[in-house]
Amino acid sequence: EVQLVESGGGLVQAGGSLRLSCVGSGFAFDDYGVGWFRQAPGKEREEVAYINSGDGRTYYVDSVKGRFTISRDNAKNTVFLQMNSLKSEDTAVYYCAAVYVGIFSIVTIEDPNEYDYWGQGTQVTVSS
């Protein structure tokens, strides 16, 4: 059974930090790029960060550059999203998603419909 499981969300004050984790199972994790998306109430789902397989190339949406860091540990089938200097506008449900990329060096894949697998989401709430 294919699974992506997120954890690490919660309630934090503005300026604080959280680290989200995404653990994959049931598929060849090493061959997949992983994106972190978020969706706030009444808004569309947006990609905030992406990390490619193989070369580990990363991408960040402008609003999180310098504050968020995406990384992966293929030995543990895990992708992390370190979120620092959190703002109230970061409040959303955060999802990780995996897309098959094989050996290709992909900058990012912004379209959620391109992704093969999704996690259930984890709530991040930043109080001001």
Side-chain angles (χ1 to χ4, degrees):
E1 179 187 6
V2 171
Q3 280 192 316
L4 282 174
V5 179
E6 303 100 332
S7 62
L11 173 64
V12 64
Q13 288 188 331
S17 298
L18 285 173
R19 188 172 86 151
L20 306 183
S21 298
C22 170
V23 180
S25 61
F27 63 101
F29 192 81
D30 292 10
D31 290 335
Y32 283 71
V34 176
W36 280 99
F37 291 76
R38 66 186 178 188
Q39 189 165 21
K43 295 188 177 181
E44 291 187 353
R45 190 170 297 190
E46 67 164 345
E47 183 191 39
V48 296
Y50 171 86
I51 187 163
N52 201 46
S53 66
D55 60 7
R57 191 173 187 177
T58 59
Y59 162 86
Y60 301 93
V61 71
D62 285 347
S63 60
V64 308
K65 281 181 181 177
R67 301 189 298 122
F68 290 12
T69 302
I70 190 170
S71 61
R72 67 189 295 161
D73 183 346
N74 286 338
K76 297 181 179 180
N77 284 7
T78 303
V79 169
F80 303 98
L81 185 68
Q82 177 68 43
M83 305 187 296
N84 298 329
S85 303
L86 283 161
K87 305 175 181 180
S88 57
E89 50 263 44
D90 295 317
T91 295
V93 178
Y94 283 71
Y95 300 89
C96 67
V99 56
Y100 179 79
V101 295
I103 63 171
F104 295 103
S105 180
I106 305 296
V107 175
T108 189
I109 300 175
E110 294 181 319
D111 184 356
N113 295 317
E114 298 292 326
Y115 284 76
D116 300 302
Y117 309 121
W118 287 85
Q120 81 288 353
T122 185
Q123 177 70 47
V124 171
T125 303
V126 184
S127 63
S128 57

